[in-house]
Amino acid sequence: MSAVLQQPFVEQFREPGTPYLSPALLGDFLGFQVQELAERAHVHRNTPTARPQAPQLQKYLQDMVRVLAVATEMTGDEKRAAFLVRNEPLRAFGYKTADALVQEGRVDAVIAYLESLAGGAAG
């Protein structure tokens, strides 16, 4: 796949006409209500709709998109990646899901783990 010819993965989650991610679009993709995203991002339940550009919320959304991008690259399927991020218990992390780990701020560890799995499968 050539990244030059394709729209970037993250672009599908962009709030139209803005430079930030849309809580509603990412929530729809993952099957979360907006209030569930607020809980996961540790912000007030009204923040995703009242202040979607809030830094703490945007940081969570960016982290989740990073993990989804790696999972999508591994699986080759966006919907399967979303399912795995939400539901697959990761043995290396005490059987927590990638979703739970993102909530804990352990994004870099999850990405490194997923990349190591992909690297092991590839070579």
Side-chain angles (χ1 to χ4, degrees):
M1 287 196 277
S2 173
V4 176
L5 300 177
Q6 293 184 20
Q7 177 176 321
F9 176 78
V10 69
E11 191 68 33
Q12 67 187 305
F13 305 113
R14 181 180 180 185
E15 184 72 36
T18 72
Y20 54 85
L21 296 169
S22 167
L25 292 175
L26 187 57
D28 286 346
F29 182 79
L30 290 168
F32 293 136
Q33 297 292 323
V34 174
Q35 291 80 8
E36 290 175 291
L37 277 181
E39 289 174 21
R40 285 170 159 71
H42 309 292
V43 298
H44 188 273
R45 64 184 167 85
N46 293 335
T47 301
T49 52
R51 293 190 50 240
Q53 74 282 9
Q56 187 171 340
L57 176 61
Q58 285 297 306
K59 169 90 170 83
Y60 168 79
L61 297 176
Q62 291 165 356
D63 289 345
M64 186 56 83
V65 168
R66 287 175 55 208
V67 170
L68 281 169
V70 173
T72 298
E73 196 171 303
M74 282 180 61
T75 64
D77 179 83
E78 292 177 355
K79 293 298 183 182
R80 184 160 193 264
F83 176 81
L84 294 174
V85 166
R86 281 193 62 174
N87 298 291
E88 180 70 24
L90 303 175
R91 185 174 69 144
F93 295 98
Y95 296 95
K96 292 180 179 181
T97 64
D99 174 44
L101 294 163
V102 170
Q103 291 175 59
E104 294 176 4
R106 299 178 66 191
V107 179
D108 291 334
V110 172
I111 289 172
Y113 177 74
L114 294 176
E115 288 177 338
S116 74
L117 289 179

